[in-house]
Amino acid sequence: NTVLAQTKVEASISGDIVSSYVWRGFKQAGASVQPALSFSLKNFSIGAWASTDFTSNESSKKEVDFYASYSTGNLSLTLTDYWWDGEGAYRYFSSPQDGNAGHLLEAGIAYTLPAAFPLSLSCNTFVLGEGNKKANGNNSFSTYIEFSYPFSVSSIDMGLSAGFIPWESAVYGSDMDSFKFTNLQLKGTKEIKITDSFSVPLFTSIIANPAAEDIHFVLGFTIK
């Protein structure tokens, strides 16, 4: 029985509803629904995450990502296939054209310090994809690095994070041509009790992007 328990595949489903979809400091879409599905076995996991806005037309923002990850201790390694050409592109299984980015493959590594000071550091680099190329056709290896630290105030779980791109990064736009901070974020999460056996995590995030001189205040909740 012990062996069976150790080799059991676990599954998880959840979904977020957000007032706007902001990724690494850049707004991607307005109010959106974001489902997630994952399977894990020991230290390995595979899963899918998606986002679709509520406009429900051919210009809707639609993203579907698949990932595989391995975790050991406080270290995790992840490969993610991003696809965000949007509703109406109809090119998921084809080569990109007409300005579409097609698929983008990103490799990521993250490490969290011991519980006494649980600072996390993550580094994510796009290694393949047409949307990752510079104007001259070379791979820009678009990279995003983030530090984050969790804490709590009263009954609210808080998180403070700071993220930046270290060099020219085509994925993040033509203006991102050097070292720039793109994501300064303060997030708070609180469990809202619906019934004695059911509660919903409600979260808010203040997200500033100094590089773009932009700011967002996002409200969302998670169902799982």
Side-chain angles (χ1 to χ4, degrees):
N1 290 339
T2 301
V3 174
L4 289 175
Q6 291 176 345
T7 59
K8 182 180 179 180
V9 174
E10 297 183 352
S12 175
I13 60 172
S14 64
D16 288 347
I17 305 294
V18 294
S19 58
S20 61
Y21 169 27
V22 181
W23 177 73
R24 297 176 182 173
F26 298 92
K27 184 176 180 180
Q28 306 296 302
S32 302
V33 57
Q34 300 175 334
L37 169 67
S38 66
F39 300 91
S40 61
L41 176 62
K42 293 186 177 180
N43 296 46
F44 295 91
S45 65
I46 58 173
W49 182 94
S51 182
T52 305
D53 69 13
F54 285 102
T55 57
S56 299
N57 55 47
E58 289 296 296
S59 62
S60 294
K61 300 290 186 179
K62 179 173 69 176
E63 175 181 344
V64 180
D65 307 330
F66 289 89
Y67 66 87
S69 67
Y70 172 79
S71 299
T72 176
N74 293 344
L75 178 70
S76 65
L77 305 172
T78 304
L79 279 177
T80 304
D81 171 70
Y82 289 85
W83 186 84
W84 53 49
D85 283 352
E87 194 71 65
Y90 303 122
R91 298 201 59 79
Y92 186 83
F93 299 102
S94 304
S95 299
Q97 65 179 25
D98 301 328
N100 290 336
H103 292 266
L104 292 156
L105 182 67
E106 182 185 69
I109 182 170
Y111 182 77
T112 302
L113 295 176
F117 185 67
L119 178 71
S120 295
L121 168 65
S122 63
C123 179
N124 299 278
T125 300
F126 285 93
V127 294
L128 292 173
E130 288 294 319
N132 191 37
K133 292 183 178 180
K134 302 178 184 179
N136 61 10
N138 293 336
N139 193 332
S140 71
F141 293 101
S142 298
T143 295
Y144 174 78
I145 298 172
E146 182 178 282
F147 293 89
S148 61
Y149 186 81
F151 60 99
S152 62
V153 178
S154 299
S155 60
I156 300 178
D157 294 325
M158 307 292 294
L160 188 64
S161 58
F164 61 90
I165 58 172
W167 51 67
E168 181 180 358
S169 300
V171 167
Y172 302 103
S174 58
D175 293 337
M176 301 298 112
D177 55 1
S178 60
F179 178 98
K180 292 182 179 180
F181 275 97
T182 65
N183 185 21
L184 301 177
Q185 180 173 170
L186 176 65
K187 182 177 181 179
T189 303
K190 183 179 176 63
E191 293 280 343
I192 305 300
K193 186 176 180 180
I194 306 300
T195 68
D196 289 339
S197 59
F198 179 68
S199 61
V200 173
L202 180 72
F203 58 87
T204 60
S205 298
I206 299 174
I207 306 166
N209 184 333
E213 296 194 49
D214 201 5
I215 191 167
H216 312 276
F217 200 167
V218 177
L219 171 69
F221 60 90
T222 302
I223 301 174
K224 57 184 177 179

